[in-house]
């Protein structure tokens, strides 16, 4: 239809991965968009649709990677974090001044630091240079010590910027809240229980994650989103 022709387009694989936070921001903004999902063959992990998009030049501005966001004017934005920030600004989730935007962005970067530290710990199934025993020990150390310590630091920082329960900055929903939700609630299913335990003392962060999860637009999206491998 004519509305779809002028809608924003988010192009990514048919998984949650690096685009799921963008989809949740869309749910918060309640703006319709075209959710283009490249199918992945479960046997080969190949995606002919993705390969075609690369050949067509659709992904050139993101170095032939996904996700990309295409605006109604035909502008292409790559890099998942750049897309997240663009959408957050578009939907009023980045504060009202450059200073507020910087402080909100800081909260999101704290969450990214946690995810980066988990990767550097090297306990995922994609880690190649460790035995299963070494991975198990690293995983235990991460969830029982490292992650709780990092989360409590974020908890204390957010107490300084929050003016109401359920919000990391001021008293309205921001991009920082979404980043906290993604960190605590949208992790790999196999890590969900351990993540919940690592965050059990973070009363402020859990209230923020719950606030995002219970937003009508987000709740609807989460209930209806397709099942995926990751």
């Amino acid at each position: 239809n004519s509305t779809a022709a002028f809608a924003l387009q988010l192009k990514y694989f048919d998984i949650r991965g690096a685009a799921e936070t963008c989809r949740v921001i869309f749910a918060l903004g309640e703006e319709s968009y075209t959710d283009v999902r490249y199918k992945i063959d479960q046997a080969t992990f190949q995606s002919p649709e993705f390969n075609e998009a690369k050949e067509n030049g659709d992904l050139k501005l993101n170095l032939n990677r996904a996700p990309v966001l295409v605006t109604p004017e035909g502008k292409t934005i790559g890099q998942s974090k750049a897309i997240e920030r663009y959408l957050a600004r578009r939907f009023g989730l980045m504060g009202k001044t450059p200073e507020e935007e910087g402080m909100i962005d800081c909260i999101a970067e704290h969450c990214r630091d946690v995810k980066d530290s988990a990767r550097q710990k090297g306990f995922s199934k994609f880690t190649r240079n460790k035995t299963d025993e070494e991975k198990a020990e690293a995983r235990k150390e991460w969830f029982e010590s490292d992650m709780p310590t990092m989360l409590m630091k974020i908890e204390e920082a957010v107490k300084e910027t929050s003016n109401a329960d359920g919000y990391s900055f001021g008293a309205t929903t921001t991009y920082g809240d979404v980043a906290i939700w993604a960190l605590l609630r949208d992790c790999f299913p196999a890590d969900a229980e351990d993540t919940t335990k690592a965050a059990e003392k973070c009363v402020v962060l859990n209230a923020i994650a719950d606030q995002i999860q219970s937003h009508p637009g987000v709740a609807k999206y989460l209930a209806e989103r397709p099942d995926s491998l990751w």
Side-chain angles (χ1 to χ4, degrees):
N1 64 44
S2 59
T3 303
F6 296 102
L8 287 157
Q9 292 183 64
L10 182 65
K11 300 183 178 184
Y12 190 59
F13 300 102
D14 192 21
I15 57 173
R16 295 172 191 174
E20 196 64 4
T21 299
C22 299
R23 295 174 180 136
V24 167
I25 294 172
F26 267 119
L28 280 169
E30 298 180 337
E31 179 174 337
S32 62
Y33 70 105
T34 304
D35 189 11
V36 178
R37 292 174 177 254
Y38 305 129
K39 300 290 184 188
I40 298 175
D41 186 303
Q42 300 298 317
T44 65
F45 287 99
Q46 296 298 309
S47 174
E49 294 173 356
F50 170 70
N51 292 334
E52 184 181 342
K54 280 200 296 185
E55 290 163 10
N56 291 344
D58 290 354
L59 309 176
K60 191 172 183 180
L61 283 178
N62 198 32
L63 313 183
N64 283 329
R65 300 171 301 179
V68 297
L69 182 76
V70 183
T71 71
E73 300 77 27
K75 304 292 185 185
T76 298
I77 302 168
Q79 292 285 356
S80 58
K81 296 301 177 188
I83 297 169
E84 288 173 18
R85 292 185 181 98
Y86 166 81
L87 292 173
R89 288 189 195 99
R90 185 180 181 95
F91 302 140
L93 305 176
M94 292 297 275
K96 296 178 180 176
T97 67
E99 291 76 21
E100 289 186 357
E101 178 172 328
M103 294 173 78
I104 291 164
D105 206 5
C106 176
I107 295 165
E109 286 300 297
H110 290 332
C111 295
R112 187 185 353 199
D113 282 348
V114 177
K115 292 184 176 183
D116 288 348
S117 294
R119 275 191 288 271
Q120 289 161 13
K121 195 76 177 178
F123 55 81
S124 82
K125 62 182 179 181
F126 302 110
T127 302
R128 300 293 184 209
N129 59 346
K130 289 183 179 178
T131 65
D132 288 345
E133 290 78 10
E134 288 170 331
K135 286 190 210 177
E137 183 58 35
R139 190 181 192 285
K140 184 174 187 290
E141 193 175 272
W142 169 253
F143 283 110
E144 292 184 4
S145 176
D146 299 349
M147 188 179 191
T149 299
M150 292 187 79
L151 291 178
M152 281 308 299
K153 288 181 178 179
I154 300 173
E155 173 98 349
E156 292 305 314
V158 166
K159 285 179 183 177
E160 298 295 313
T161 55
S162 172
N163 290 339
D165 290 346
Y167 304 101
S168 62
F169 185 89
T172 59
T173 300
T174 65
Y175 176 50
D177 302 341
V178 181
I180 290 166
W181 170 83
L183 177 63
L184 298 186
R185 299 286 187 270
D186 207 44
C187 49
F188 287 115
D191 294 335
E193 187 177 335
D194 288 323
T195 298
T196 298
K197 193 168 189 309
E200 65 185 356
K201 294 180 181 177
C202 299
V203 176
V204 173
L205 299 187
N206 277 306
I208 292 164
D210 290 344
Q211 179 87 352
I212 292 295
Q213 190 112 347
S214 64
H215 179 280
V218 175
K220 182 175 187 294
Y221 170 73
L222 295 178
E224 297 174 355
R225 69 179 175 179
D227 288 331
S228 70
L229 289 175
W230 62 87

